[in-house]
């Protein structure tokens, strides 16, 4: 409650009780008002005195002279906890007369035994509570009600503090605590017992109400500590959850000298280090204070490790503070660099890691080289990163070096690195998952794409439990998605990326990469709106490799929208990306987009050098179909746009040579040949529809619709033109006829699904969970999930509900 210019702000029960006392309906009134400081005890007594006097009653204040206390029908006692023995004895005598009206206000602490006996003679207690927001608004008045949330948050609704802050804000209303609001706390702090003040300082420093820690700090036993905490709570400065009210914390920092506050914090750090307790709450308040000393340095290091998994940016800042406080840079540099990299600060990570590698006496030079290699990989500098990984020499670094070597076309070197004998290091989940990833990528240039993709899926699942805290140059999920995009397994690629985002694989370092690859999948499917949403979700602050993909996406979306003006706007940035980013195996997709856009804009020469590097890299790897087919596909369209028929035929021939590697490769080869015929004016509607459906089944939805559309505008047969346009519209959005219950189920849908997938579909449509389906079919829940992802990709479903609707129609048609 709070005294305003018009009335006291009271809750309803207290208002009714006060009205009864004032009117004499509660006679004799024998009440206790026990509450911490600031809760409005004095204001309530003043209100009772004024109300009772207006009603014709007589009121006396205890301690202002005894005259009148015997004849007054209401005696008011304020701050009873401060009364001396003689006054308490007199008050006990007065309380012994049950006919006397008596209202006693006191704090919960201190509570002398004599005061307890006095309060025990009273009949009821008035409970004072903090204001809720509505009461705070009422107390502030209409002119300052817009400050309600700010004032309530700062004061916790403690009535006296609301008044104090509200009055201080009257002259200059703003969401800021003025110095005038803090001066009112100084007198309270000055007369506070030293150990009670130390309790408040310890709480402000982050100690909380840990009895053991406070006992060690104060040199007191548990019972004494409990009493001191009660005393601190009685001030009203400490909230019910044991934290300081924000305005109280500001008052402490303004009124108590900094050396005294820092002395308490230093002592707490030392105690926590001795007992291996958490130090972050304590040292957080010391960040930026410029303090030094070995204990503080160790405290900052320990605090950094406490948040290394969840808050790498804060951990990096704490390591910086540790070095400023006296920790040797070489001793903590590698760990500091790793956390900076995980926080996305690649410049700082590279600088620190390079200093560690260059220092001959640094204890973790191998770790520094690993961090530097990872940062360079994130920047797209695979060749240099592989060099640092090789020098690092650890098991994990060797695996990363193999991936980098493969990505830059050095196949024999990658194999040699993976054949090195075990180093004796423990086989962790991280090393096992990344080793499996490297071997899967090796398989991608020689074995079947499905084998490589399956191994990458398994590696991604293995990594998930530790993925969030790992610093990775790339993730199995992202590399698996790239492979999936290269071989038309978009459903599996999408599932991998969604799981990686949910598991926060790689922390914030790889979040943008996963979202950009998801956007790429949407673009390939022709869903420009979803692709744009996912591109925006990746953010603006991107590492160079992610920036390359983001620019590729913007180029691809502008091209697919036939927005030549937008394409011209982005082209300068695309050219910069091409110049700055070296070509590697895992960036073929954006370079393929750039090649088509360059042809569209008549600027192929500027891209020629980089594309030759990409082709040289692929030739060094033996021209593996998985990696070459997407670039041949892009090259075909670039050649068609540039009207270079011989070049286009070469790409068609290359695609035909790899057609026997699987359904995706056969579909792309068939579509390439068909496309070349269409451009030449040879439109066979049936062949075009077959080729377009093959592209759609392979995941290239936009290209499938484009092929049908290009054929439609080139045929002279009106009936064929109408059919091809209908096909183009259908293929752009989803497979099969527009009505899901028609031939999609009877003629196309069931043919796309294997018998096992149909079994899974029946059970899922019936409402079974993935685990229940797996138990019934004797497969794992993860396998069920992969079946569903594959069915979603094959049927072209745009959402889970769309997939279930199609499966219901398909199963109904089969029955």
């Amino acid at each position: 409650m709070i005294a305003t210019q018009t009335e006291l702000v009271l809750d309803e029960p207290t208002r009714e009780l006060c009205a009864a006392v004032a009117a004499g309906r509660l006679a004799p009134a024998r009440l206790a008002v026990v509450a911490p400081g600031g809760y409005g005890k004095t204001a309530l007594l003043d209100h009772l005195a004024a109300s009772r006097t207006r009603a014709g009653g007589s009121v006396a204040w205890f301690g202002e002279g005894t005259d009148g206390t015997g004849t007054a029908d209401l005696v008011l006692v304020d701050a009873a906890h401060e009364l001396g023995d003689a006054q308490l004895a007199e008050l006990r005598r007065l309380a012994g007369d049950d006919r006397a009206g008596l209202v006693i206000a006191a704090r919960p602490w201190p509570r002398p035994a004599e005061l307890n006996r006095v309060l025990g003679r009273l009949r009821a207690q008035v409970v004072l509570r903090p204001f809720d927001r509505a009461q705070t608004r009422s107390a502030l008045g209409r002119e300052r009600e817009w400050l309600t949330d700010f004032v309530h948050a700062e004061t916790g609704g403690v009535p006296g503090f609301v008044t104090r802050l509200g009055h201080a804000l009257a002259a200059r209303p703003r969401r800021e605590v003025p110095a005038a609001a803090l001066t009112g706390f100084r007198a309270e702090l000055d007369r506070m017992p030293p150990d009670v003040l130390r309790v408040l300082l310890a709480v402000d420093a982050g100690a909380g109400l840990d009895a053991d820690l406070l006992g060690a700090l104060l040199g007191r036993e548990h019972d004494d500590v409990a009493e001191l905490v009660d005393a601190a709570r009685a001030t009203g400065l400490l909230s019910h959850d044991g934290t300081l009210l924000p305005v109280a914390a500001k008052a402490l920092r303004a009124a108590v000298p900094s050396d005294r506050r820092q002395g308490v914090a230093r002592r707490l750090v030392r105690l926590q280090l001795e007992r291996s307790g958490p130090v972050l709450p304590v040292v957080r308040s010391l960040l930026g204070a410029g303090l030094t000393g070995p204990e503080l340095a160790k405290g900052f290091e320990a605090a950094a490790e406490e948040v290394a998994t969840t808050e790498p940016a804060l951990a990096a800042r704490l390591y910086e503070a540790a070095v400023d406080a006296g920790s040797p840079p070489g001793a903590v540099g590698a760990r500091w660099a790793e956390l900076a990299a995980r926080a996305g600060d690649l410049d700082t990570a590279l600088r620190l890691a390079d200093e560690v590698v260059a220092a001959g006496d640094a204890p973790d030079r191998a770790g520094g080289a690993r961090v530097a290699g990872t940062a360079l990989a994130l920047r797209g500098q695979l060749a240099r990163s592989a060099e640092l990984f090789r020098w690092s020499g650890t098991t994990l670094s060797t695996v990363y070096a193999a991936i980098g070597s493969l990505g830059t076309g050095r196949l024999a070197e990658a194999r040699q690195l993976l054949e090195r004998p075990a180093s004796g290091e423990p086989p962790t989940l991280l090393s096992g998952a990344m080793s499996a990833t490297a071997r899967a990528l090796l398989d991608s240039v020689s074995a079947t794409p499905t084998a490589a993709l399956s191994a990458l899926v398994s590696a991604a699942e293995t990594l998930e439990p530790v993925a969030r805290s790992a610093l990775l140059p790339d993730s199995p999920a992202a590399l698996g998605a790239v492979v999936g995009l290269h071989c038309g397994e978009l459903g599996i690629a999408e599932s991998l990326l969604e799981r990686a985002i949910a598991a926060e694989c790689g922390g914030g370092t790889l979040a943008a990469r996963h979202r950009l690859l998801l956007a790429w999948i949407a673009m390939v499917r022709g869903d420009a709106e979803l692709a744009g949403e996912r591109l925006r979700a990746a953010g603006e602050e991107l590492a160079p490799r992610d920036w390359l993909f983001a620019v590729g996406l913007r180029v691809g979306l502008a091209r697919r929208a036939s927005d030549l003006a937008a394409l011209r706007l982005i082209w300068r940035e695309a050219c910069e990306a091409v110049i700055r980013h070296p070509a590697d195996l895992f960036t073929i997709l954006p370079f393929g987009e750039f090649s088509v856009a360059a042809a569209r804009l008549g600027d192929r020469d500027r891209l020629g050098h980089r594309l030759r590097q990409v082709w040289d890299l692929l030739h060094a790897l033996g021209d593996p179909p998985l990696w070459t087919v997407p670039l041949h596909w892009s090259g075909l369209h670039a050649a068609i746009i540039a009207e270079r028929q011989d070049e286009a035929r070469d790409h068609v021939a290359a695609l035909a040579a790899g057609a026997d590697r699987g359904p995706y490769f056969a579909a792309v080869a068939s579509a390439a040949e068909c496309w070349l015929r269409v451009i030449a004016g040879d439109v066979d509607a049936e062949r075009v529809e077959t080729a377009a459906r093959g592209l759609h089944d392979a995941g290239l939805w936009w290209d499938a619709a484009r092929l049908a559309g290009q054929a439609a505008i080139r045929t002279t047969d009106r009936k064929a033109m109408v059919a091809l346009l209908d096909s183009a519209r259908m293929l752009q959005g989803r497979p099969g006829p527009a009505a899901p219950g028609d031939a999609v189920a009877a003629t196309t849908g069931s043919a796309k699904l294997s018998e096992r997938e149909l079994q899974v579909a029946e059970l899922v449509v019936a409402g079974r969970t993935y685990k229940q389906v797996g138990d019934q079919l004797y497969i794992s829940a993860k396998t069920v999930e992969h079946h569903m992802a594959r069915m979603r990709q094959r049927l072209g479903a745009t959402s889970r509900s769309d997939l279930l609707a199609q499966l219901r129609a398909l199963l109904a048609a089969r029955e």
Side-chain angles (χ1 to χ4, degrees):
M1 54 209 61
I2 177 173
T4 67
Q5 294 178 348
T6 56
E7 62 175 332
L8 198 68
V9 178
L10 303 170
D11 59 30
E12 194 58 34
T14 307
R15 183 183 303 278
E16 291 177 0
L17 182 61
C18 290
V21 172
R25 295 194 303 271
L26 186 65
R30 298 178 62 79
L31 303 173
V33 185
V34 180
Y39 275 62
K41 298 181 295 297
T42 300
L44 177 65
L45 294 182
D46 288 339
H47 174 73
L48 287 174
S51 301
R52 184 71 186 121
T53 300
R54 284 197 301 270
S58 58
V59 177
W61 288 86
F62 183 83
E64 295 184 355
T66 57
D67 292 342
T69 57
T71 59
D73 54 25
L74 182 63
V75 177
L76 305 176
V77 185
D78 197 9
H81 56 281
E82 296 179 356
L83 297 178
D85 291 343
Q87 290 175 303
L88 285 173
E90 175 62 20
L91 183 59
R92 185 182 181 190
R93 183 196 63 75
L94 185 63
D97 182 359
D98 290 341
R99 297 169 298 173
L102 186 62
V103 179
I104 301 176
R107 288 188 180 185
W109 187 95
R111 186 67 70 86
E114 189 69 11
L115 178 59
N116 269 338
R117 285 190 283 271
V118 170
L119 295 177
R121 301 298 300 269
L122 304 181
R123 295 172 184 166
Q125 178 170 323
V126 177
V127 177
L128 301 182
R129 298 182 178 87
F131 285 162
D132 57 23
R133 279 178 170 75
Q135 291 170 312
T136 302
R137 183 182 301 107
S138 176
L140 291 173
R142 184 178 299 276
E143 291 183 357
R144 285 169 289 164
E145 67 177 10
W146 60 277
L147 290 168
T148 296
D149 287 344
F150 169 73
V151 171
H152 193 269
E154 285 289 330
T155 63
V158 173
F161 304 161
V162 171
T163 303
R164 189 174 295 170
L165 182 53
H167 288 167
L169 289 170
R172 191 178 178 186
R174 56 181 175 175
R175 291 184 176 88
E176 182 179 305
V177 177
L182 303 179
T183 56
F185 291 92
R186 189 178 296 275
E188 171 89 10
L189 296 172
D190 286 344
R191 64 173 181 266
M192 191 176 290
D195 276 353
V196 176
L197 180 60
R198 272 193 285 269
V199 168
L200 294 177
L201 291 174
V203 172
D204 185 40
L209 296 181
D210 185 324
D212 290 334
L213 185 58
L214 291 175
L217 173 70
L218 302 171
R220 299 288 199 103
E221 298 297 327
H222 273 202
D223 289 346
D224 294 336
V225 170
E227 186 174 351
L228 289 170
V229 169
D230 287 342
R233 287 188 188 279
T235 65
L237 303 176
L238 205 59
S239 65
H240 291 298
D241 62 3
T243 59
L244 275 175
L245 298 175
V247 71
K250 292 179 176 68
L252 273 177
R253 294 163 198 169
V256 180
S258 60
D259 57 342
R260 186 174 180 186
R261 290 185 284 108
Q262 291 167 4
V264 170
R266 284 177 181 273
R267 172 72 172 152
L268 289 171
V269 171
R270 181 163 61 252
L271 291 169
Q272 286 295 75
L273 289 174
E274 289 173 356
R275 66 203 290 254
S276 298
V279 296
L280 175 64
V282 179
V283 303
R284 191 192 288 267
S285 64
L286 301 177
L287 278 171
L291 303 179
T292 61
E295 284 182 343
L296 278 181
K298 290 178 182 177
F300 283 126
E301 288 184 40
E305 287 308 309
E306 289 174 22
V307 293
T309 300
T310 56
E311 297 181 72
L314 175 59
R317 188 180 170 204
L318 287 162
Y319 266 116
E320 182 179 12
V323 171
D324 290 342
S327 292
V332 300
R335 184 61 170 153
W336 180 8
E338 179 179 349
L339 290 162
R342 284 184 49 215
D345 187 356
L346 298 184
D347 288 341
T348 297
L350 279 169
R351 174 179 61 79
L352 295 171
D354 190 67
E355 290 173 358
V356 171
V357 172
D361 59 346
D364 192 13
R365 297 175 73 198
R370 179 179 56 80
V371 173
T374 301
L376 286 170
L378 294 168
R379 286 181 173 273
Q381 304 286 335
L382 279 192
R384 174 62 177 149
S385 74
E387 182 181 345
L388 281 160
F389 285 137
R390 285 196 303 273
W391 185 87
S392 176
T394 65
T395 298
L396 198 55
S397 295
T398 301
V399 169
Y400 293 160
I403 294 174
S405 297
L406 181 67
T408 49
R410 293 172 288 178
L411 180 58
E413 183 178 293
R415 284 177 174 151
Q416 184 180 12
L417 286 166
L418 290 180
E419 289 170 359
R420 283 186 180 179
S423 64
E425 296 175 32
T428 63
L429 285 176
L430 176 59
S431 63
M434 296 311 296
S435 178
T437 298
R439 296 184 187 282
L441 292 173
L442 273 181
D443 288 343
S444 73
V445 303
S446 56
T448 62
T450 52
L453 186 55
S454 177
L456 287 165
V457 169
S458 178
E461 291 175 354
T462 300
L463 186 62
E464 280 184 5
V466 295
R468 184 183 183 190
S469 59
L471 176 63
L472 305 171
D474 213 337
S475 71
L479 292 168
V482 171
V483 170
L485 278 159
H486 275 250
C487 66
E489 294 289 357
L490 301 191
I492 293 175
E494 191 169 41
S495 176
L496 275 173
L497 294 168
E498 288 172 346
R499 289 178 66 101
I501 290 171
E504 298 182 49
C505 182
T509 308
L510 292 177
R513 177 153 174 76
H514 295 143
R515 295 187 185 281
L516 289 168
L517 288 169
L518 270 177
W520 205 283
I521 291 170
M523 181 179 72
V524 170
R525 286 175 170 165
D527 192 340
E529 183 177 353
L530 180 59
E533 288 177 5
R534 289 172 171 176
L535 172 58
R536 289 188 292 273
E540 297 292 333
E541 298 296 325
L542 299 173
R545 180 179 63 186
D546 296 332
W547 177 63
L548 178 75
F549 271 83
V551 174
L553 277 162
R554 293 166 64 193
V555 166
L557 290 170
R559 178 173 73 85
R560 285 164 174 78
S562 298
D563 189 343
L564 200 58
L567 193 57
R568 287 196 178 100
L569 284 174
I570 190 60
W571 185 240
R572 180 179 298 177
E573 195 172 354
C575 292
E576 182 184 351
V578 168
I579 291 170
R580 290 177 55 187
H581 200 291
D584 64 60
L585 187 64
F586 312 122
T587 55
I588 287 174
L589 293 173
F591 280 109
E593 279 298 329
F594 295 150
S595 71
V596 182
R600 176 70 66 191
L601 297 173
D603 198 14
R604 298 186 80 197
D605 291 343
R606 190 180 302 195
L607 198 64
H609 173 67
R610 191 65 82 203
L611 282 177
R612 283 193 294 274
Q613 288 183 335
V614 178
W615 284 116
D616 289 345
L617 185 156
L618 291 170
H619 295 332
L621 295 174
D623 292 319
L626 172 69
W627 299 101
T628 58
V629 163
L631 199 57
H632 278 302
W633 182 251
S634 299
L636 167 65
H637 291 287
I640 290 173
I641 293 169
E643 298 182 353
R644 297 186 181 181
Q645 295 301 313
D646 290 343
E647 186 180 323
R649 281 191 288 271
D650 289 343
H651 285 299
V652 170
L655 290 169
D660 60 348
R661 301 303 296 267
Y664 171 82
F665 303 97
V668 173
S670 174
E673 182 182 359
C674 185
W675 210 304
L676 208 55
R677 288 177 178 273
V678 167
I679 295 301
D682 179 6
V683 179
D684 182 330
E686 185 176 347
R687 177 185 294 170
V688 170
E689 286 208 28
T690 300
R693 287 185 180 279
L695 280 179
H696 193 283
D697 292 346
L700 302 177
W701 298 2
W702 185 86
D703 292 281
R706 181 76 170 170
L707 173 57
Q710 289 290 307
I713 63 176
R714 283 174 170 78
T715 183
T716 57
D717 185 334
R718 175 151 184 88
K719 182 178 179 181
M721 180 189 70
V722 172
L724 287 168
L725 285 175
D726 286 342
S727 181
R729 284 191 291 268
M730 175 183 63
L731 293 169
Q732 179 71 34
R734 57 185 294 172
D742 291 337
V744 69
T747 64
T748 63
S750 60
K752 292 178 183 177
L753 305 185
S754 69
E755 195 60 33
R756 173 63 86 186
E757 287 168 342
L758 288 170
Q759 291 173 346
V760 169
E762 288 176 348
L763 294 171
V764 171
V765 167
R768 305 287 199 281
T769 65
Y770 287 174
K771 185 177 186 306
Q772 290 169 336
V773 173
D775 291 342
Q776 187 163 339
L777 298 180
Y778 300 100
I779 57 178
S780 71
K782 289 185 183 295
T783 301
V784 175
E785 182 179 359
H786 291 147
H787 278 308
M788 293 295 289
R790 191 174 182 84
M791 285 188 281
R792 180 174 174 177
Q793 185 265 328
R794 285 183 173 181
L795 296 176
T798 57
S799 64
R800 177 177 170 81
S801 60
D802 183 24
L803 173 61
L804 292 176
Q806 291 196 52
L807 291 177
R808 289 190 190 97
L810 185 152
L811 295 170
R814 289 183 79 242
E815 291 173 0

Coordinates of all heavy atoms in Angstrom, one line a residue, residues 5 9 81 87 116 137 173 450 458 473 529 567 575 581-582 643 663 667 673 702 704 706 757 762 791:
Q5 N -1.7 11.3 -3.1 CA -2.3 12.6 -2.7 C -3.8 12.5 -2.4 O -4.4 13.3 -1.7 CB -2.1 13.6 -3.9 CG -0.7 14.0 -4.1 CD -0.5 14.9 -5.3 OE1 -1.4 15.2 -6.0 NE2 0.7 15.5 -5.4
V9 N -3.7 3.2 -1.3 CA -4.0 2.1 -2.1 C -4.0 0.8 -1.3 O -2.9 0.4 -0.8 CB -3.0 2.0 -3.3 CG1 -3.3 0.8 -4.2 CG2 -3.0 3.3 -4.1
H81 N 9.7 -3.4 16.6 CA 10.9 -4.2 16.6 C 12.1 -3.3 17.1 O 13.2 -3.9 17.5 CB 11.2 -4.7 15.3 CG 11.3 -3.7 14.2 ND1 10.2 -3.1 13.6 CD2 12.4 -3.1 13.6 CE1 10.6 -2.2 12.7 NE2 11.9 -2.2 12.7
Q87 N 10.5 0.0 27.1 CA 9.3 0.3 26.3 C 8.5 -1.0 26.0 O 7.3 -1.0 26.0 CB 9.8 1.0 25.0 CG 10.3 2.4 25.2 CD 10.8 2.9 23.9 OE1 11.7 2.4 23.2 NE2 10.2 4.1 23.5
N116 N 7.5 -10.9 21.1 CA 6.7 -12.0 20.7 C 5.5 -12.2 21.7 O 4.4 -12.5 21.3 CB 7.5 -13.3 20.7 CG 8.1 -13.6 19.4 OD1 7.6 -13.1 18.4 ND2 9.2 -14.3 19.3
R137 N -0.2 0.7 -10.9 CA -0.7 1.7 -11.8 C -1.5 2.8 -11.1 O -1.4 4.0 -11.3 CB -1.5 1.1 -12.9 CG -2.1 2.0 -14.0 CD -3.0 1.3 -15.0 NE -2.3 0.3 -15.7 CZ -2.5 -1.0 -15.5 NH1 -3.4 -1.4 -14.6 NH2 -1.8 -1.9 -16.1
P173 N 9.9 11.9 -16.3 CA 9.5 10.5 -16.5 C 10.2 9.8 -17.6 O 10.2 10.3 -18.7 CB 8.0 10.7 -16.8 CG 7.6 12.1 -16.3 CD 8.9 12.9 -16.5
T450 N 23.4 -44.2 -53.0 CA 22.5 -44.6 -51.9 C 23.3 -45.1 -50.7 O 23.0 -44.9 -49.6 CB 21.5 -45.7 -52.4 OG1 22.2 -46.7 -53.0 CG2 20.5 -45.1 -53.3
S458 N 23.3 -42.4 -41.0 CA 23.7 -43.1 -39.8 C 24.7 -42.2 -39.0 O 24.6 -42.1 -37.8 CB 24.3 -44.4 -40.1 OG 24.8 -45.1 -39.0
P473 N 33.8 -28.5 -38.8 CA 33.9 -27.8 -40.1 C 32.7 -28.0 -41.0 O 32.4 -27.2 -41.9 CB 35.2 -28.4 -40.7 CG 35.3 -29.8 -40.0 CD 34.7 -29.6 -38.7
E529 N 8.3 -19.2 -52.2 CA 7.9 -18.6 -51.0 C 8.6 -19.2 -49.8 O 9.2 -18.6 -48.9 CB 6.4 -18.6 -50.8 CG 6.0 -17.9 -49.6 CD 4.4 -17.9 -49.4 OE1 3.8 -18.3 -50.4 OE2 4.0 -17.4 -48.4
L567 N 17.9 -10.3 -61.1 CA 19.1 -11.1 -61.4 C 20.3 -10.2 -61.7 O 21.4 -10.4 -61.2 CB 18.8 -12.0 -62.6 CG 19.8 -13.1 -62.9 CD1 20.0 -14.0 -61.7 CD2 19.4 -13.9 -64.2
C575 N 29.3 -12.3 -58.6 CA 30.6 -12.3 -59.2 C 31.7 -12.2 -58.1 O 32.7 -12.8 -58.1 CB 30.7 -11.1 -60.2 SG 29.8 -11.4 -61.7
H581 N 35.5 -17.0 -53.3 CA 35.3 -18.4 -52.8 C 36.0 -19.4 -53.7 O 35.5 -19.6 -54.8 CB 33.9 -18.7 -52.6 CG 33.6 -19.8 -51.6 ND1 34.0 -21.1 -51.9 CD2 33.1 -19.8 -50.4 CE1 33.6 -21.9 -50.9 NE2 33.1 -21.1 -49.9
P582 N 37.0 -20.1 -53.2 CA 37.6 -21.2 -54.1 C 36.5 -22.3 -54.3 O 35.6 -22.5 -53.5 CB 38.7 -21.7 -53.2 CG 39.0 -20.7 -52.2 CD 37.7 -20.0 -51.9
E643 N 23.0 -20.6 -76.7 CA 22.8 -21.1 -78.0 C 24.1 -21.7 -78.5 O 24.6 -21.5 -79.7 CB 22.4 -20.0 -79.0 CG 21.0 -19.4 -78.6 CD 20.5 -18.3 -79.6 OE1 21.3 -17.9 -80.5 OE2 19.4 -17.9 -79.4
P663 N 18.1 -44.5 -60.8 CA 16.9 -43.9 -61.4 C 17.0 -42.4 -61.5 O 16.6 -41.8 -62.5 CB 15.8 -44.2 -60.4 CG 16.3 -45.4 -59.6 CD 17.7 -45.3 -59.6
A667 N 16.7 -40.5 -65.1 CA 15.7 -39.5 -65.3 C 16.3 -38.2 -65.9 O 15.8 -37.6 -66.8 CB 15.0 -39.2 -64.0
E673 N 18.1 -35.2 -72.9 CA 18.0 -35.5 -74.3 C 16.7 -34.9 -74.9 O 16.6 -34.3 -75.9 CB 18.0 -37.0 -74.6 CG 17.9 -37.4 -76.0 CD 17.9 -38.9 -76.2 OE1 18.0 -39.6 -75.2 OE2 17.8 -39.3 -77.4
W702 N 10.7 -28.0 -60.2 CA 10.7 -26.8 -61.0 C 11.1 -27.1 -62.5 O 10.5 -26.7 -63.4 CB 11.5 -25.8 -60.4 CG 11.5 -24.5 -61.2 CD1 10.5 -23.5 -61.0 CD2 12.3 -24.0 -62.2 NE1 10.8 -22.4 -61.9 CE2 11.8 -22.7 -62.7 CE3 13.4 -24.6 -62.9 CZ2 12.5 -22.0 -63.7 CZ3 14.0 -23.9 -63.9 CH2 13.6 -22.6 -64.3
A704 N 11.0 -30.0 -63.9 CA 10.0 -30.8 -64.6 C 8.9 -29.9 -65.2 O 8.5 -30.1 -66.4 CB 9.4 -31.8 -63.6
R706 N 9.2 -26.8 -65.9 CA 9.8 -26.0 -67.0 C 9.9 -26.7 -68.3 O 9.6 -26.2 -69.4 CB 11.2 -25.6 -66.5 CG 11.9 -24.7 -67.5 CD 11.4 -23.3 -67.4 NE 12.3 -22.4 -68.2 CZ 12.0 -21.1 -68.5 NH1 10.8 -20.6 -68.1 NH2 12.9 -20.4 -69.1
E757 N 6.8 -49.8 -47.9 CA 6.3 -48.5 -47.7 C 4.8 -48.4 -47.6 O 4.2 -47.7 -46.8 CB 6.8 -47.5 -48.8 CG 8.3 -47.2 -48.7 CD 8.8 -46.6 -50.0 OE1 8.2 -46.7 -51.0 OE2 9.9 -46.0 -49.9
E762 N -0.1 -47.8 -44.3 CA -1.3 -48.3 -43.7 C -1.4 -48.1 -42.2 O -2.4 -47.7 -41.6 CB -1.5 -49.8 -44.1 CG -1.9 -50.1 -45.5 CD -1.9 -51.5 -45.8 OE1 -1.5 -52.4 -45.0 OE2 -2.4 -51.9 -46.9
M791 N 8.6 -41.4 -48.8 CA 7.2 -41.3 -49.4 C 6.8 -39.9 -49.7 O 6.2 -39.6 -50.7 CB 6.2 -42.1 -48.5 CG 6.3 -43.6 -48.6 SD 5.0 -44.4 -47.7 CE 5.5 -44.2 -46.0

